[in-house]
Amino acid sequence: VHPDDLIMKNNLAYILAHMPKGIQEAADMIPWLEKNYGGKQEIIDTMAFVLMKAGKYRECRQKLETILRLEKEGTLFWFRARMCGAEIATRLGNYDEARKTLQEMLNRSRNIPDEDILYANKLLSDVATEELKAEIHRKSFPASDTNRPAGGRN
């Protein structure tokens, strides 16, 4: 990779972020991308994705806010920013927020590439699975009754 080729580095960071062993290397590229991005939405999009994959949610959300300020609702980068935000919500266990965001996005997904629609639908399915697991756990292990005397007898 040519060390000063913005598009090549951007694409490399994006690809590396998809691989568990590549996430740190992708994250290490963020300062260079930040310094050289020139306001390009695709670079901000990649930085947000890499930061999310690296678990740097606060920094990622700052990038997402930038994208959402600059993009019109329904555009590709608006869609991807909202999807990244929904994925963060899912990772943090905020399933209701994630589900609502994904449903809203999918209702405004005209002219969005199929791969992004498929990923959003997979994420929505993952949210439903996690909500179901949480419900099963709540029913299987109800909170202990703090009014019961020690020993578990009434």
Side-chain angles (χ1 to χ4, degrees):
V1 175
H2 189 278
D4 294 325
D5 188 321
L6 179 62
I7 301 305
M8 292 286 285
K9 273 200 169 178
N10 180 66
N11 291 342
L12 179 59
Y14 184 77
I15 291 167
L16 287 170
H18 280 87
M19 301 179 290
K21 291 182 179 181
I23 292 171
Q24 186 57 53
E25 187 177 350
D28 291 344
M29 294 178 178
I30 295 292
W32 189 92
L33 290 170
E34 183 91 64
K35 180 180 169 189
N36 295 287
Y37 82 101
K40 294 181 178 178
Q41 291 293 73
E42 62 267 29
I43 309 299
I44 301 171
D45 177 62
T46 296
M47 289 189 290
F49 181 76
V50 169
L51 291 165
M52 184 267 301
K53 288 293 193 178
K56 297 179 179 184
Y57 302 141
R58 181 177 298 149
E59 293 172 58
C60 176
R61 283 189 168 139
Q62 291 171 346
K63 301 293 182 215
L64 298 177
E65 289 170 11
T66 298
I67 293 169
L68 293 171
R69 268 195 318 273
L70 299 172
E71 286 293 316
K72 291 181 183 175
E73 186 175 301
T75 64
L76 175 60
F77 291 117
W78 172 87
F79 189 90
R80 287 183 178 169
R82 298 292 312 272
M83 187 163 50
C84 194
E87 189 162 351
I88 290 171
T90 302
R91 289 174 175 222
L92 296 175
N94 299 327
Y95 305 124
D96 191 53
E97 174 190 340
R99 183 177 23 76
K100 287 176 183 175
T101 299
L102 289 161
Q103 288 170 336
E104 177 187 322
M105 291 165 35
L106 287 165
N107 287 334
R108 293 173 176 81
S109 62
R110 188 175 181 168
N111 299 320
I112 301 298
D114 289 345
E115 69 182 58
D116 292 298
I117 300 294
L118 289 170
Y119 190 81
N121 277 305
K122 181 199 175 299
L123 191 53
L124 187 57
S125 176
D126 292 348
V127 167
T129 299
E130 292 305 318
E131 286 178 314
L132 184 58
K133 284 181 188 177
E135 182 63 24
I136 290 169
H137 187 268
R138 277 192 298 278
K139 288 181 177 180
S140 298
F141 304 101
S144 62
D145 185 352
T146 56
N147 294 324
R148 264 187 303 174
R153 296 190 179 138
N154 291 335

